[in-house]
Amino acid sequence: QLISMAVARFPFQLMRGETDVIDSPAYESIQKKFRYRLFMACASQLLTGAGYWLLDANAQGRNLTPRWVLSQTMTPVSDRERGLYAFKRTDGAKQDIIPLERVVYFWEPSFESETKPGAGPAQIGLGAASMLYALDSFAANFFMRGGAKVTVFEVPPGMQPADKEEFQNYLDRAVSSVKNAFRMLAVRGGLKPTVIGSDIKDTEAPELIEIQRDNVSAALGIPASVMDGRSSDDSNS
């Protein structure tokens, strides 16, 4: 959003003949639509590596109007002689071949193909982001289980399998969910509990979170100072 909103605020001219009508209230709607298309094209390029506009026209072939479309619906069409010469547009069960002159495309550079876009910066940042997601999911699941660490119960050797399963089901019901976080349980004699695993505070890893957050920002080309302001503060101190 930071990058796409900055792109959408780029200054531009809206010309009617030789006159710039960018400040005319009559064309305010056109401006909003154009800035929306800039935002969506940039966001698509960051996420998927490619952003697309189709140039729609009236029956006479005039009034060309760009229309943003999903990147996933556009497939480059090329051959050895002509290179990239069209796009295949898939909309549900419908497929159309759209000539190159009717498409405005924004591609990340590719070092593997001359006729296809490269990987989106967000795809590069997913490696670091997946670790942040896993850390957040671990913390959320910990509290959803009632904030209880993994516990092993030693049961008597002669306990029947059916009784073990019943006891396991009872524990799952008794300690699951946040509402049971401070619930006390009474167990029969001979069942010795052993707690394993780390406390939630030991798994927060603030240094790792900071590093991976910076990795995500770097993949998207966002300076660390924009994210938290600390770098600029450090340079001024």
Side-chain angles (χ1 to χ4, degrees):
Q1 284 188 332
L2 283 172
I3 298 173
S4 300
M5 288 177 66
V7 170
R9 289 194 293 265
F10 278 173
F12 61 87
Q13 288 182 303
L14 184 62
M15 306 300 294
R16 183 177 179 86
E18 299 296 327
T19 304
D20 186 357
V21 294
I22 194 71
D23 295 324
S24 174
Y27 297 95
E28 183 176 354
S29 175
I30 295 179
Q31 289 190 54
K32 289 182 178 180
K33 291 179 180 178
F34 184 69
R35 294 193 184 279
Y36 167 79
R37 287 190 284 267
L38 283 174
F39 179 95
M40 296 302 290
C42 179
S44 298
Q45 181 178 353
L46 292 171
L47 289 170
T48 67
Y52 293 97
W53 292 345
L54 293 187
L55 297 179
D56 292 337
N58 58 21
Q60 288 75 36
R62 299 177 179 176
N63 295 330
L64 290 177
T65 303
R67 173 168 59 95
W68 172 81
V69 294
L70 285 170
S71 301
Q72 296 88 331
T73 65
M74 302 290 288
T75 303
V77 180
S78 61
D79 58 30
R80 185 180 298 273
E81 288 74 22
R82 290 176 290 180
L84 178 68
Y85 67 90
F87 286 90
K88 181 172 71 174
R89 160 92 162 143
T90 303
D91 187 4
K94 182 181 178 182
Q95 291 187 347
D96 296 309
I97 298 298
I98 303 174
L100 203 60
E101 60 269 18
R102 282 196 53 214
V103 181
V104 180
Y105 53 99
F106 308 85
W107 280 2
E108 288 292 330
S110 174
F111 299 96
E112 297 180 349
S113 173
E114 298 178 3
T115 56
K116 292 181 180 179
Q123 295 171 309
I124 305 302
L126 278 178
S130 62
M131 182 174 293
L132 295 174
Y133 178 77
L135 290 170
D136 288 342
S137 298
F138 176 83
N141 289 331
F142 178 81
F143 288 107
M144 288 304 297
R145 294 194 305 267
K149 290 183 286 188
V150 177
T151 304
V152 176
F153 281 88
E154 298 179 21
V155 300
M159 193 172 190
Q160 297 299 313
D163 295 333
K164 292 180 183 179
E165 183 176 355
E166 182 179 355
F167 180 61
Q168 175 71 57
N169 293 336
Y170 162 73
L171 289 175
D172 290 341
R173 294 192 304 269
V175 301
S176 62
S177 80
V178 176
K179 67 180 181 180
N180 292 322
F182 301 101
R183 183 174 179 177
M184 301 299 293
L185 296 177
V187 297
R188 296 178 181 177
L191 299 178
K192 180 182 177 181
T194 301
V195 177
I196 61 175
S198 303
D199 290 325
I200 186 65
K201 65 181 180 62
D202 296 329
T203 59
E204 290 178 347
E207 296 85 1
L208 181 60
I209 291 175
E210 181 179 340
I211 291 172
Q212 297 298 59
R213 184 187 61 185
D214 289 347
N215 287 341
V216 174
S217 300
L220 293 171
I222 302 176
S225 58
V226 174
M227 296 299 294
D228 53 33
R230 288 177 314 196
S231 298
S232 57
D233 293 341
D234 294 341
S235 63
N236 294 329
S237 59

